[in-house]
Amino acid sequence: SFTMNIYLFLYDLMQFCGHSWIFTNMIIRFMTFGKDSLADTFYSIGLVMRLCQLLSVLEILHILIGIDKSRLLPRFLQITERIIVLFVVINSQEEVQGKYVVCVLFFLWNLLDVVRYTYNMLARMGIYYLPLTWLNFSLCIPLYPLSVLAKGFAICVSLPYFETFGTYSIKLPFPFTFSIYFPYVLKMYLLVLFTGMCFIIQNLFHERMVHLGTGNIKNKRS
């Protein structure tokens, strides 16, 4: 409906503004301060990044109620991956926040999202530019696996700190003998992360074929 299209356009606009601000801020800071800007990336843009990622949870709701026709499982995996890495791994360990991998991860996320939300906004208005369509469904194929590698590296870097500080590790008192050692949970999640990557990449290739097929390109040109 018209009302839902307006709502989705405003949602995409908010996300576009947030990710554009982050992306521009990162580039300007790097051009101004060079490598020194990488260590405090999280401190300078972390708040806006967290707000944008929390807002992205609405995309799962959009699919569930039927106003977004995207597939639920791939989108759910992509969103939860970011939420877990950002809030559970990076946000909880101050020592990890200054690592260069955080800057690389934020750069990849925001590059993908600036393109994606730009495409979505124009698509809500029925506007399709072939170069932007091609970029939206092609750029994610090489960059998404790179972002997964960066997530995996961030988790590996964080493991010594989780082991030292015991963050999120739980040991129940007597008479219970149950305990959760969180570094083991993260190591198991690495398997889930890379298994999910194979499924999501397959879905990305499928979406690219659907949207960039010869028939679709001709229709959008006309």
Side-chain angles (χ1 to χ4, degrees):
S1 67
F2 178 77
T3 303
M4 288 296 100
N5 277 335
I6 292 296
Y7 162 74
L8 291 173
F9 176 84
L10 293 175
Y11 168 81
D12 291 330
L13 178 61
M14 290 177 61
Q15 288 281 36
F16 169 79
C17 291
H19 288 289
S20 295
W21 182 87
I22 296 171
F23 191 69
T24 304
N25 186 288
M26 291 181 67
I27 292 176
I28 293 176
R29 285 174 55 78
F30 182 77
M31 293 177 64
T32 304
F33 303 107
K35 291 184 179 180
D36 294 336
S37 67
L38 303 181
D40 63 348
T41 295
F42 184 84
Y43 304 102
S44 60
I45 64 175
L47 177 60
V48 181
M49 191 71 199
R50 281 173 282 179
L51 290 174
C52 288
Q53 295 309 315
L54 284 175
L55 191 62
S56 70
V57 176
L58 288 174
E59 295 179 26
I60 299 175
L61 179 62
H62 297 165
I63 298 174
L64 288 174
I65 64 178
I67 62 175
D68 187 341
K69 302 304 180 184
S70 302
R71 296 177 65 188
L72 176 61
L73 184 57
R75 196 74 198 114
F76 175 81
L77 290 174
Q78 288 176 296
I79 292 172
T80 52
E81 285 172 8
R82 293 190 182 190
I83 294 293
I84 291 172
V85 172
L86 179 58
F87 287 93
V88 178
V89 176
I90 299 174
N91 190 62
S92 67
Q93 299 296 335
E94 188 174 353
E95 291 77 6
V96 178
Q97 295 169 10
K99 303 294 184 182
Y100 287 170
V101 67
V102 174
C103 182
V104 173
L105 194 56
F106 283 8
F107 180 84
L108 293 172
W109 284 355
N110 286 281
L111 177 57
L112 287 169
D113 284 340
V114 167
V115 173
R116 184 165 70 91
Y117 289 114
T118 302
Y119 171 83
N120 286 347
M121 282 193 301
L122 295 176
R124 307 294 179 199
M125 299 184 292
I127 300 173
Y128 297 92
Y129 292 109
L130 182 57
L132 180 61
T133 303
W134 183 90
L135 190 64
N136 181 61
F137 292 102
S138 301
L139 188 65
C140 55
I141 292 176
L143 292 193
Y144 174 72
L146 290 178
S147 72
V148 172
L149 290 175
K151 293 171 195 171
F153 186 74
I155 291 174
C156 291
V157 167
S158 72
L159 287 175
Y161 302 108
F162 281 103
E163 292 171 354
T164 301
F165 301 123
T167 310
Y168 301 132
S169 293
I170 301 172
K171 187 174 183 180
L172 298 178
F174 183 83
F176 302 100
T177 58
F178 180 74
S179 62
I180 297 176
Y181 187 56
F182 196 69
Y184 290 161
V185 176
L186 287 178
K187 290 176 182 178
M188 288 188 292
Y189 180 69
L190 283 173
L191 296 176
V192 176
L193 186 65
F194 285 100
T195 302
M197 179 186 70
C198 299
F199 171 73
I200 292 174
I201 289 176
Q202 183 181 13
N203 183 71
L204 292 175
F205 273 106
H206 173 74
E207 287 186 343
R208 188 179 189 277
M209 182 180 66
V210 169
H211 289 86
L212 295 179
T214 305
N216 287 328
I217 291 177
K218 288 180 179 179
N219 290 335
K220 290 176 181 179
R221 280 177 175 173
S222 61

